[in-house]
Amino acid sequence: MKIDLQIDSQRAIWIIMTTIGKVAQRAGVSQTTVSHALNHADRVSPEIRERVLKAVEELGYRPNPQAQSLRTGKTSIVALMVPDICNPYYPEIVLSIQTALGEVGLDALVYNTDVPGGRGANHAADYLRQARRKRVDGVIIADAALFGLHAELKDLGLTGVFIGGLDNGAMDSVGVDNFQAAYRMGQYLIEKGHRRIAHVTGPSHFSFARERKAGFEKALADAGAPIDPSLVFEGSFLSPSGHDAANWLVEKYGSNLPTAVFAASPLMAMGLLARLYDLKVQVPRDISVAAYDRLSLLDDIRPRLTTVGCVPAALGRAAVAMLRDRLEGRFDGPPRREVIPFELIERESA
């Protein structure tokens, strides 16, 4: 008999852990039926499951997760790897994934590979080893979390989903068409009468940054207004590089600013807006500002940003749905690619 000690503010009480056998006895069913009712509801009738759940509640039964793992070979844990937990984009993805997993009794084990801190490759390799040792049921990887290590995914040995573009097709992936979304923003700014447009890009070593740059500049070229290379500033995707881009624009062009600027991430756009305000440059009177991607954080920014992309939560939910398809046996074919629709939202900044 296993005994746990529980201490509250007034006294210590001994709680004798109820065994599954007692639950079965109370419900008038076999232990196998109790197991099915708790873990495979579709294998028992609603009436039987209700009896079992009532007995569980009356007896205070709590399944032992370690014992369940040994019995089923599953841990009910999904590893989630993100490149920068301090970037507001990724907590929105994490929350959506945790919520979707929790709805089906799964937990998320979050790993931050810290790509901006320069430790991404070392952390990512270590975390992949940890995920294998912990025997997680699956893994979800957010874009740059495994920067430079995509080849490792071919022999990962875990069911996984990649959020973003994965050139080697090592596992299922979900993402937005970066090229087309940025192309649409280029079209939009042209439609608004802009011709001399600056572009604050993401780091060129990231494939999705290159895709956004190519899509945006292709739209301008198709409209007969190819971008001036001197109006391109390579940023880091983070807010400080938005500050740097604003300084660069004002120092280089003074009162002869381009009529619009497109930032390839919401954080760079936020930094850009803040610094332009400090420099007494009014948006959109003096220059229009638009951004790639949508964050709930942007709802509190004034002027409200014109954006293109999708909410991060949509990617998280889709990733969990794809992972469950494989974990629950609904799909066992070759790696799939799901493209989430993007949306251009016009607001005051452009």
Side-chain angles (χ1 to χ4, degrees), residues 31 47 143 160 163-164 278 346:
Q31 293 186 32
E47 294 79 13
D143 50 56
I163 298 176
D278 292 341
E346 181 181 27

Side-chain angles (χ1 to χ4, degrees), residues 60-339:
Y61 172 68
R62 295 292 182 271
N64 183 302
Q66 288 78 20
Q68 284 185 320
S69 176
L70 288 172
R71 185 176 68 254
T72 65
K74 298 180 179 179
T75 60
S76 296
I77 295 174
V78 172
L80 169 57
M81 298 186 186
V82 298
D84 181 13
I85 200 65
C86 293
N87 182 331
Y89 181 85
Y90 295 106
E92 290 196 24
I93 287 183
V94 170
L95 179 59
S96 66
I97 289 174
Q98 286 182 316
T99 301
L101 291 175
E103 290 171 355
V104 292
L106 298 174
D107 293 319
L109 178 61
V110 181
Y111 293 102
N112 174 38
T113 64
D114 191 21
V115 171
R119 295 178 288 273
N122 290 337
H123 282 182
D126 182 48
Y127 294 155
L128 284 176
R129 288 191 292 269
Q130 288 187 37
R132 293 189 188 100
R133 286 200 304 268
K134 293 178 184 296
R135 298 171 55 247
V136 297
D137 292 347
V139 61
I140 297 175
I141 300 164
D143 50 56
L146 292 188
F147 177 67
L149 292 176
H150 290 179
E152 299 285 331
L153 299 179
K154 290 185 176 181
D155 301 312
L156 184 60
L158 291 170
T159 301
V161 178
F162 190 92
I163 298 176
L166 188 60
D167 293 340
N168 63 15
M171 60 173 57
D172 291 339
S173 64
V174 58
V176 176
D177 189 325
N178 286 287
F179 183 96
Q180 290 298 331
Y183 187 95
R184 178 68 192 100
M185 181 57 81
Q187 285 183 318
Y188 169 82
L189 292 176
I190 291 290
E191 291 164 2
K192 289 296 178 181
H194 299 286
R195 289 297 183 273
R196 187 164 167 261
I197 305 170
H199 187 194
V200 183
T201 73
S204 58
H205 52 265
F206 289 135
S207 61
F208 53 95
R210 296 193 299 271
E211 290 165 3
R212 294 174 192 179
K213 182 177 187 292
F216 182 71
E217 295 182 2
K218 180 69 161 56
L220 302 191
D222 287 350
I227 195 162
D228 180 347
S230 68
L231 290 173
V232 178
F233 181 94
E234 183 171 318
S236 67
F237 279 141
L238 302 178
S239 181
S241 65
H243 294 187
D244 294 341
N247 289 332
W248 164 74
L249 281 170
V250 173
E251 290 171 5
K252 187 170 184 178
Y253 298 103
S255 60
N256 188 34
L257 290 171
T259 62
V261 56
F262 173 51
S265 82
L267 293 187
M268 291 196 299
M270 289 170 59
L272 187 67
L273 280 176
R275 186 57 183 152
L276 288 174
Y277 177 86
D278 292 341
L279 295 170
K280 312 302 182 186
V281 177
Q282 295 190 34
V283 177
R285 190 196 69 180
D286 299 329
I287 187 171
S288 292
V289 178
Y292 191 101
D293 263 338
R294 294 165 54 193
L295 285 179
S296 58
L297 187 65
L298 298 182
D299 294 342
D300 295 325
I301 300 298
R302 298 296 181 273
R304 295 177 178 86
L305 270 167
T306 292
T307 59
V308 69
C310 77
V311 293
L315 296 169
R317 290 191 296 267
V320 171
M322 295 182 82
L323 186 70
R324 287 186 58 199
D325 280 348
R326 290 197 181 271
L327 293 179
E328 297 170 16
R330 290 188 293 271
F331 182 81
D332 62 357
R336 302 164 294 174
R337 171 69 175 170
E338 181 174 342
V339 178

